[in-house]
Amino acid sequence: MSDSHLPFDLLGRPLHDLRLSVIDACNFRCGYCMPADRVPEDYGTDASQRLSFDEIETLVRAFVRLGVRKLRLTGGEPLLRKRLPDLVRRLAVIPGLEDIALTTNGVLLAQQAQALHDAGLLRITVSLDALDPEVFAEMSGRRGRVGEVLAGIDAAVAAGFKRLKINAVVQRGLNESQVVPLLERFRGTGHVVRFIEFMDVGDSNDWRLERMVPSSVLRDRIAARWPLHPVQADYRGEVAERYGFDDGGGEVGFVSSVSTPFCGDCHRARVSADGRLFTCLFASAGADLRAVLAQGEDALVAHVAGLWSARGDRYSELRGRPEVRDRRRVEMYLIGG
Ligand code: SAM
Ligand code: SF4
Ligand code: SF4
């Protein structure tokens, strides 16, 4: 598909980013995503239901032809997918794909960082909601240990990943106390901590507005300790608002999808591990791509172009309105954030 034929959706948004879930299982049970009392211990679709590496490669090639330049591998916990570096190696060489990144809870990263780097992975985001071991245990559903995540971050740096993003979802009364310690730990390292507003994704996490801490509140609190200045976005559609520390300690980011919706610049498609396309993080259902995928890359390009052209999603801008309020929402662990 030539550039002049790249699809735009109903709101004039092109397709630039793809988030691809490689597995729906996870070794954590974060309460805001996959609460232990709602999702069974052995949750996860059979390997036979997941897209194979061949299917994923065809899919990514098709999405690149539709305009995708940035790919993020996610989950569930993507490092639970066997032979992930082999998949990265195949995707990293796809012509036209400029960026290939991974989001992980970091617990298995120490073992895999070098292989992922050698395979061509360019960037890593590690989710880390707390440094205090007890708060970390509470946030992760008492799975994993914070020391394992920190070891994963160190291993990633040793493997050659320079500037990691560290994502922390902040929930009122649970881990607000961790905001300053996280910055104390990572300021000056080159890594960028990003605080994410607790979102009303899925139907399991018992979301309530009072549990969300607006980014503006955190920003003021942080600025009182370390004065901040705004930093220009690198590109249109960058989801995090960026601030620099006046003292040269690096940057901090805020992802404010609840308090400051950014649907107008949303250029992102998501595909679940079993091959369903979701055109919004808050969609009720996905379009099953497997049958068309079996017909090959050209068929998939035409099909997805049609689906993208019909997209009108802007949930965050409509949040609370009757037309979206009572709709079912896909779970975050199926489409990876
Ligand atoms: N398991 C990996 C991880 O945690 O990094 C990748 C998948 S996880 C679904 C991707 C991101 O979604 C994580 O950074 C997580 O913190 C974020 N997330 C999950 N549920 C969320 C919620 N309700 N609100 C805001 N962010 C959420
Ligand atoms: Fe697992 Fe990531 Fe969801 Fe936590 S946020 S339960 S680590 S998928
Ligand atoms: Fe994109 Fe949907 Fe989020 Fe809006 S609500 S920014 S359309 S994913």
Side-chain angles (χ1 to χ4, degrees):
M1 189 168 282
S2 74
D3 271 1
S4 56
H5 293 99
L6 294 178
F8 287 87
D9 72 7
L10 297 174
L11 301 176
R13 299 168 297 189
L15 173 53
H16 274 164
D17 298 0
L18 175 62
R19 283 209 168 188
L20 178 69
S21 169
V22 293
I23 192 164
D24 58 1
C26 189
N27 44 7
F28 277 20
R29 285 292 179 274
C30 307
Y32 52 68
C33 175
M34 214 174 178
D37 57 346
R38 308 287 285 270
V39 187
E41 190 63 41
D42 61 351
Y43 177 84
T45 43
D46 292 354
S48 63
Q49 300 297 310
R50 289 181 211 138
L51 296 185
S52 66
F53 286 2
D54 285 343
E55 287 174 310
I56 290 176
E57 186 182 334
T58 304
L59 182 129
V60 173
R61 285 183 186 276
F63 272 81
V64 169
R65 283 172 57 190
L66 289 159
V68 163
R69 295 292 169 264
K70 293 158 74 91
L71 171 69
R72 182 169 291 275
L73 302 176
T74 177
E77 174 44 45
L79 298 186
L80 290 174
R81 177 86 190 232
K82 298 243 168 18
R83 298 186 294 110
L84 190 67
D86 293 347
L87 176 64
V88 170
R89 187 169 294 108
R90 291 173 67 164
L91 302 180
V93 294
I94 292 178
L97 191 63
E98 292 165 6
D99 188 21
I100 173 164
L102 172 84
T103 302
T104 171
N105 64 30
V107 156
L108 300 172
L109 189 55
Q111 303 150 31
Q112 301 189 34
Q114 191 66 57
L116 289 165
H117 188 266
D118 295 348
L121 186 73
L122 295 178
R123 296 187 303 121
I124 296 185
T125 298
V126 176
S127 302
L128 176 59
D129 297 329
L131 285 174
D132 177 89
E134 186 46 38
V135 182
F136 180 89
E138 184 69 29
M139 296 300 290
S140 66
R142 306 207 164 264
R143 313 300 203 273
R145 285 197 297 271
V146 66
E148 294 167 323
V149 181
L150 295 173
I153 292 171
D154 289 345
V157 173
F161 295 99
K162 296 266 165 333
R163 217 169 108 98
L164 272 62
K165 287 183 185 149
I166 313 287
N167 276 0
V169 177
V170 182
Q171 271 185 276
R172 193 178 306 282
L174 278 181
N175 65 334
E176 278 177 276
S177 66
Q178 299 301 296
V179 168
V180 167
L182 279 165
L183 289 173
E184 275 170 340
R185 169 103 194 187
F186 292 109
R187 265 172 35 93
T189 61
H191 307 320
V192 179
V193 179
R194 307 181 331 153
F195 295 106
I196 303 178
E197 289 179 347
F198 174 33
M199 289 187 282
D200 48 338
V201 283
D203 295 322
S204 309
N205 65 12
D206 196 20
W207 184 85
R208 274 177 266 149
L209 187 60
E210 321 75 89
R211 296 189 175 177
M212 189 274 293
V213 186
S215 294
S216 56
V217 170
L218 292 182
R219 194 189 55 220
D220 291 350
R221 224 178 267 170
I222 294 165
R225 166 86 182 264
W226 296 288
L228 297 172
H229 57 270
V231 174
Q232 198 66 35
D234 265 348
Y235 54 92
R236 192 158 175 236
E238 189 171 30
V239 295
E241 296 151 47
R242 298 165 56 190
Y243 287 83
F245 294 105
D246 289 358
D247 67 2
E251 274 187 31
V252 57
F254 300 92
V255 180
S256 322
S257 20
V258 180
S259 66
T260 321
F262 38 76
C263 300
D265 274 339
C266 182
H267 309 144
R268 185 170 291 169
R270 296 171 163 88
V271 175
S272 59
D274 61 357
R276 282 174 293 152
L277 169 70
F278 292 83
T279 53
C280 177
L281 193 50
F282 300 90
S284 308
D288 193 346
L289 301 179
R290 292 191 85 145
V292 185
L293 189 51
Q295 295 166 30
E297 199 181 302
D298 290 346
L300 193 64
V301 168
H303 185 63
V304 173
L307 293 171
W308 189 261
S309 305
R311 172 189 193 236
D313 303 281
R314 54 187 193 104
Y315 175 89
S316 288
E317 292 179 351
L318 303 176
R319 181 176 277 111
R321 292 218 211 147
E323 60 263 46
V324 296
R325 200 170 41 216
D326 301 324
R327 227 169 55 182
R328 288 197 58 214
R329 295 185 293 265
V330 60
E331 296 298 336
M332 186 77 134
Y333 55 85
L334 296 178
I335 53 170

